[in-house]
Amino acid sequence: MARYNIAVLPGDGIGKEIVTEGIKVLKAVEEKFPGLKLDYTEYEASAGLYARTGVAIPDEVYEQCAKADAIYFGAMGLPGIRLPDGTEVAGEIIFKLRFGLDLYAGVRPIKLYPGVNYPLKDRKPGSIDYVILRENVEGLYASRGAGTNLRDEVSTDTIIITRKGTEKIVKYAFELAKRRNGSPLDGKSRVTCVDKSNVLRSYAFFRKVYDDVAQNYPEIEKDYAYIDAMTLWQVQRPEFYDVVVTENMFGDIISDLGAGTVGSMGMAPSGDVGDEHGLFQPSHGSAPTIAGKGIANPLAAILSGSMMLDWLGRRHNDDAAIKAADCIEQAVTKVLEIDKIMTSDIGGEATTAQVGDAVAERIASGK
Ligand code: ATP
């Protein structure tokens, strides 16, 4: 029987509320799949902790995260709590984990589920179904904490693109495309390279490395988009996309845009994964304006839990974990399509806990 240690970091704002529902659903699949056992240990790392103690993530918490089989993460950061350089505390935690554990791939599925209120006209469920792969440990954000501010007159941050780092994320993108069913538009497996190679050398290099890696995958269609055009196409023809690979900051931006096209940040799960470690969290932040009201959408957190099981299952050749991941996704689809239980951000009236209960009940009933 497979047994996994999960380090749980609820964080700030709505983090605690959504993680509670995510664990409720994970416990429901544990009941359903007796071969699967998850042991959860909760740790504090948050902007709130920083405000109290001056430390956002204690060393021992980082060490426990490094030892865990996977990290289940809520949301970090509060706008009013800042580091002396003016940046948000959330970066202290998430970047420490991403860089320290080499979580180089930000995996961000963008999927339109049935029954959800979404802003684009006349799209069918499933007509938007692509995955953004955000390079997570290089790019512009690699300069975090190391930019310059010269006499309050000039400020710089340097973008970092390496061949090794780009090869890793682009290879991840092509390998993922091999496992998927292709684009909703034409069923073709396609990897789109998003950059600004018409203006900056660093992005031209990113594209060159993409081309080099793509040679090993002749069966997968190559595709290119400049970042500005990409934001247009994500709105105008999202059904064209299958897998999208891009630099760190661009990935940060287009994953929020993608989440908007499928209804809400609350519908956007993510995994930050490397060769040895995986951290799973909703793509959204701590949403302090809705925290404590019981109205946050827990589905991004619940679907991140499904991604965690899928990742654990593939890593450990554990069929029960892979099936449990799929079971969560099916249950979410039924809750939205048939039960029509959803929070207000996607057109419903349910509370955070009611959505979590509904998904857990669907899993328990097996229907
Ligand atoms: P960060 O920079 O930390 O990612 P952000 O500035 O992108 O944070 P979010 O906290 O993600 O901000 O919130 C963006 C918007 O989406 C806000 O209006 C917020 O209320 C809404 N939102 C985010 N998550 C959810 C959720 N789970 N359910 C409902 N609304 C959400």
Side-chain angles (χ1 to χ4, degrees):
M1 185 173 89
R3 202 171 182 126
Y4 302 108
N5 282 317
I6 310 297
V8 180
L9 304 183
D12 299 294
I14 60 171
K16 177 92 190 156
E17 300 160 52
I18 54 168
V19 157
T20 300
E21 301 314 312
I23 291 180
K24 186 186 283 176
V25 168
L26 287 168
K27 287 189 169 159
V29 281
E30 277 182 76
E31 288 285 313
K32 197 87 200 155
F33 296 86
L36 178 70
K37 184 82 193 92
L38 303 173
D39 295 313
Y40 309 91
T41 315
E42 190 173 311
Y43 299 100
E44 189 174 8
S46 63
L49 182 68
Y50 177 82
R52 293 201 312 279
T53 66
V55 177
I57 174 162
D59 288 344
E60 56 277 19
V61 172
Y62 175 84
E63 292 306 326
Q64 292 303 326
C65 288
K67 277 191 209 151
D69 292 303
I71 305 161
Y72 189 54
F73 195 96
M76 308 279 159
L78 292 169
I81 303 177
R82 304 254 163 185
L83 301 174
D85 70 359
T87 60
E88 264 203 47
V89 173
E92 282 293 282
I93 304 163
I94 187 66
F95 288 109
K96 179 162 178 154
L97 290 164
R98 278 186 193 147
F99 286 85
L101 303 179
D102 195 22
L103 307 175
Y104 63 85
V107 186
R108 298 176 160 210
I110 304 294
K111 181 167 173 181
L112 182 58
Y113 282 85
V116 170
N117 189 23
Y118 62 96
L120 302 183
K121 208 168 55 157
D122 302 334
R123 305 270 165 189
K124 288 198 186 74
S127 69
I128 305 175
D129 188 351
Y130 60 93
V131 180
I132 296 170
L133 281 189
R134 162 186 175 183
E135 201 297 319
N136 245 354
V137 294
E138 301 192 345
L140 195 52
Y141 293 172
S143 284
R144 181 183 171 273
T148 66
N149 177 331
L150 187 59
R151 295 185 294 273
D152 257 1
E153 296 287 346
V154 180
S155 185
T156 63
D157 285 298
T158 307
I159 189 166
I160 311 288
I161 306 284
T162 69
R163 173 171 288 277
K164 198 170 156 207
T166 309
E167 276 174 359
K168 274 162 82 171
I169 191 73
V170 174
K171 184 163 178 261
Y172 197 108
F174 277 94
E175 289 294 328
L176 180 63
K178 268 171 48 180
R179 294 210 307 267
R180 286 173 49 85
N181 297 324
S183 117
L185 178 70
D186 53 17
K188 282 192 183 154
S189 292
R190 174 178 295 123
V191 176
T192 303
C193 176
V194 176
D195 56 52
K196 195 65 186 167
S197 55
N198 51 338
V199 177
L200 293 179
R201 273 188 194 169
S202 50
Y203 288 120
F205 179 60
F206 188 93
R207 184 177 286 207
K208 182 172 186 300
V209 176
Y210 164 90
D211 281 334
D212 291 345
V213 174
Q215 283 183 3
N216 302 321
Y217 300 90
E219 73 282 16
I220 294 173
E221 188 175 288
K222 289 204 292 179
D223 180 51
Y224 307 95
Y226 297 133
I227 182 67
D228 39 355
M230 185 65 192
T231 60
L232 176 81
W233 289 334
Q234 279 179 280
V235 174
Q236 287 191 341
R237 53 161 206 188
E239 63 281 357
F240 178 76
Y241 295 102
D242 177 16
V243 175
V244 171
V245 64
T246 191
E247 176 268 336
N248 201 337
M249 182 180 68
F250 287 169
D252 191 6
I253 295 168
I254 66 171
S255 47
D256 271 32
L257 175 59
T261 62
V262 296
S264 165
M265 288 305 293
M267 294 305 296
S270 84
D272 287 341
V273 305
D275 296 332
E276 302 299 329
H277 302 276
L279 178 157
F280 299 84
Q281 61 164 334
S283 288
H284 57 74
S286 61
T289 52
I290 59 167
K293 296 184 178 164
I295 57 168
N297 186 346
L299 291 178
I302 289 170
L303 292 166
S304 301
S306 163
M307 289 178 73
M308 177 171 79
L309 291 180
D310 187 69
W311 179 78
L312 284 168
R314 288 175 194 283
R315 193 169 151 69
H316 298 279
N317 281 325
D318 177 355
D319 214 34
I322 295 174
K323 285 198 178 120
D326 188 54
C327 175
I328 294 177
E329 164 126 34
Q330 303 292 334
V332 167
T333 306
K334 285 176 192 153
V335 164
L336 293 169
E337 184 173 20
I338 302 167
D339 306 338
K340 303 197 187 316
I341 296 174
M342 58 193 94
T343 44
S344 58
D345 56 318
I346 50 172
E349 292 178 350
T351 64
T352 309
Q354 283 168 340
V355 174
D357 287 344
V359 177
E361 275 161 29
R362 275 278 171 191
I363 290 166
S365 74
K367 288 187 198 143

